[in-house]
Amino acid sequence: MYHPIPWPELATLSRPLLGANGTEAMAALLAAGEEPPVDYMKVGPFMGMEAIGALSQAYPLMLHLDDTLSAHTPLPEDQVARLQDLVRLTGTPWTSEHLGFGVAEITLDESLQVQALSLGLSREVAQANIVRNASALRAALPVSLLLENVPLYPNVVHRHITRPAFMGEVLSSSRCDMLLDLAHARVTASLLGMTPEAYLEALPLERVREIHLSGPRAISTLPPSQQRLLQDNACTVASELAFDDRWLVDVHDTMTEVDYALVT
């Protein structure tokens, strides 16, 4: 039987709640008697049930999932049952998935590797897959499902999915709300040649219920091997995106003044 720390009544709060990732470093702080000034911890399936269960006795938890919603079929029943168990274990008020990809079968790690253009889905198929799978998962879970905007990376995996119109249509059709990752938005805007403000204005912000905050960095700050990998990826879609070493990448770094300005 699960007994997670309950969440406060969100509708009665006078301020947004602040959370942090429930990493091993955070667990070490808690074990040492430190109390980080946050309201809740963000957890995911990769941590394992035992680690999540331990954190659930110290803080309210928010569950973030890592499934691929662009596959040609909905998540299998055993996987959905595991996600239902995680929802109960965490007591999360809602949960979230990444929106999906422009290919059917891919992991988060594989999405940053060079992939064959032949794997790419048309816009219509990618949208239909994501809407079908997100709708099925939303209906199977006892809490609301949010979809997170993905950062644009220059390869076939990320075709279609970062475009505001595509995201708006997916959210509306699947009846899911949005998890807005500001770093992801800044990265995408930089690759599309837009200001972050213009990109954000084009998104369906009325559906945002949660915001992720971190700082992206310029490609030039990456180790040489990662820069080469990104350039190799960019070569595969050179007709769509002209490589620019001023592009930003998502590295989960500390926020800068630019990031703080977007929040305010």
Side-chain angles (χ1 to χ4, degrees), residues 84 165 183 219 227:
Q84 292 168 334
I219 291 172
Q227 292 188 44

Side-chain angles (χ1 to χ4, degrees), residues 49-206:
M49 301 288 274
E50 183 176 349
I52 293 174
L55 270 178
S56 73
Q57 304 307 301
Y59 278 91
L61 300 184
M62 180 75 76
L63 178 63
H64 186 42
L65 304 174
D66 54 9
D67 303 284
T68 299
L69 294 181
S70 47
H72 291 306
T73 57
L75 297 181
E77 290 184 4
D78 59 340
Q79 174 66 358
V80 173
R82 188 170 75 93
L83 301 183
Q84 292 168 334
D85 280 344
L86 283 167
V87 168
R88 288 188 286 268
L89 173 63
T90 58
T92 188
W94 58 73
T95 190
S96 53
E97 292 270 21
H98 296 98
L99 183 84
F101 295 106
V103 299
E105 303 290 346
I106 201 82
T107 66
L108 288 176
D109 288 338
E110 292 169 346
S111 72
L112 303 182
Q113 305 297 318
V114 175
Q115 303 292 339
L117 292 179
S118 59
L119 295 177
L121 304 174
S122 69
R123 185 189 192 280
E124 293 73 21
V125 171
Q127 181 174 323
N129 283 3
I130 295 171
V131 168
R132 179 193 59 246
N133 298 340
S135 298
L137 181 56
R138 176 187 54 77
L141 294 176
V143 295
S144 300
L145 176 65
L146 277 55
L147 301 181
E148 180 182 3
N149 60 303
V150 178
L152 179 54
Y153 192 79
N155 63 14
V156 66
V157 178
H158 293 79
R159 271 184 182 157
H160 318 303
I161 59 171
T162 62
R163 305 291 174 158
F166 182 92
M167 295 168 59
E169 291 166 15
V170 165
L171 292 171
S172 177
S173 298
S174 65
R175 294 162 53 198
C176 293
D177 282 331
M178 183 177 182
L179 191 171
L180 172 63
D181 190 306
L182 278 179
H184 293 179
R186 281 195 65 198
V187 168
T188 299
S190 77
L191 269 70
L192 294 179
M194 302 174 67
T195 65
E197 292 83 1
Y199 182 73
L200 287 169
E201 287 176 5
L203 295 178
L205 297 181
E206 71 279 0

Side-chain angles (χ1 to χ4, degrees), residues 7 20 43 81 85 95-96 101-102 108 123 129 138 151 174 195 202 204 213 222 228 230 244-246 248 259:
W7 277 72
V43 297
D85 280 344
T95 190
S96 53
F101 295 106
L108 288 176
R123 185 189 192 280
N129 283 3
R138 176 187 54 77
S174 65
T195 65
L213 301 174
L222 295 176
R228 287 192 296 272
L230 194 146
D244 190 328
D245 59 11
R246 293 170 295 179
L248 298 178
D259 303 301

